[in-house]
Amino acid sequence: MFLNHRTPVLPTPEQALRGRPVPEFTVPSRHTVLGNPLVGPYPEGLEVADFALGCFWGAERKFWQTEGVWTTLVGYQGGYTENPTYEEACSGLTGHTEAVRVVFDPAVVSYEELLKLFWESHNPTQGFRQGNDVGTQYRSAIYTHSPAQAAAADASREAYQKVLTASGHQEITTEILPAEGRPFWPAEAYHQQYLDKNPAGYCGIGGTGVSCPIGVAPAEG
């Protein structure tokens, strides 16, 4: 979303902005494409997955276009600031990523298939950047909601690293951490389904062109 020529550095908890006990804005009630509520509680049987893969505008569209995804919303996750604003996230002083929450029906689309989409939709080897977007908020991350998700995420990272290495790419820098203790703070209304409201808007998402084996074949031991 903007080009920052400074070397990004994650803040410590002591350096991070404190935030606020309540948000400064409200979140729209429904998804502009899927028509379902953005914020839970969600219907029984659905599961939640959280991903960060660069600019959340293009990342969210990748997931809402996937069959079996019930709703998506964008926000800030993985840092320290409570109820952050976009400007605060862009300052580099929150520690948050630009994240996408994906609520999905596992009977239609598996978590492994969402992982495959995640890996193939960005370059997970770039550290604190994604293409021309530079900053700690653009780092690659998976925030897991269960031991099963954590195991699947770890296995997919290992499998994808093998094919990336074989294709001449560097080491994956994606952080895989529990969502517990890392709240998802919804972003401002104008960020939600941004590319539906602005079809010609900036995307910033691009993969390596290397296919991820998770979702179509088991990882080799």
Side-chain angles (χ1 to χ4, degrees):
M1 296 179 194
F2 69 95
L3 186 60
N4 186 343
H5 294 285
R6 295 175 299 173
T7 301
V9 177
L10 276 172
T12 65
E14 293 74 26
Q15 294 169 331
L17 299 173
R18 295 184 62 183
R20 53 201 56 81
V22 294
E24 290 191 342
F25 48 84
T26 59
V27 179
S29 61
R30 293 191 175 271
H31 199 284
T32 62
V33 178
L34 301 176
N36 294 320
L38 292 187
V39 179
Y42 302 113
E44 185 177 353
L46 300 182
E47 296 183 12
V48 174
D50 293 332
F51 301 105
L53 52 156
C55 171
F56 52 20
W57 292 345
E60 184 188 21
R61 182 170 63 181
K62 289 285 186 181
F63 289 103
W64 88 52
Q65 292 174 335
T66 301
E67 184 178 2
V69 170
W70 192 80
T71 199
T72 60
L73 69 158
V74 297
Y76 313 105
Q77 192 173 17
Y80 310 109
T81 303
E82 294 186 17
N83 291 296
T85 66
Y86 178 65
E87 288 73 20
E88 289 171 342
C90 289
S91 76
L93 294 175
T94 68
H96 288 303
T97 60
E98 289 194 10
V100 182
R101 172 151 289 181
V102 182
V103 182
F104 66 101
D105 184 348
V108 180
V109 61
S110 69
Y111 184 66
E112 287 76 10
E113 289 170 316
L114 295 179
L115 286 168
K116 176 178 172 66
L117 178 61
F118 165 81
W119 293 118
E120 293 179 357
S121 295
H122 75 303
N123 185 335
T125 71
Q126 294 188 318
F128 294 147
R129 67 177 297 167
Q130 195 59 215
N132 288 331
D133 293 326
V134 180
T136 57
Q137 72 271 31
Y138 297 117
R139 70 190 185 274
S140 176
I142 303 171
Y143 303 111
T144 60
H145 288 263
S146 68
Q149 283 193 1
D154 286 338
S156 69
R157 179 172 58 185
E158 179 180 351
Y160 199 43
Q161 184 64 72
K162 290 179 180 179
V163 294
L164 284 178
T165 300
S167 299
H169 292 276
Q170 300 300 311
E171 292 294 310
I172 288 173
T173 59
T174 305
E175 61 185 30
I176 299 176
L177 297 167
E180 184 178 2
R182 296 173 177 85
F184 181 97
W185 306 103
E188 293 86 338
Y190 74 94
H191 290 301
Q192 306 299 335
Q193 298 86 65
Y194 180 86
L195 291 182
D196 176 54
K197 303 167 187 173
N198 304 274
Y202 174 79
C203 177
I205 295 295
T208 61
V210 179
S211 178
C212 177
I214 294 296
V216 293
E220 295 180 3

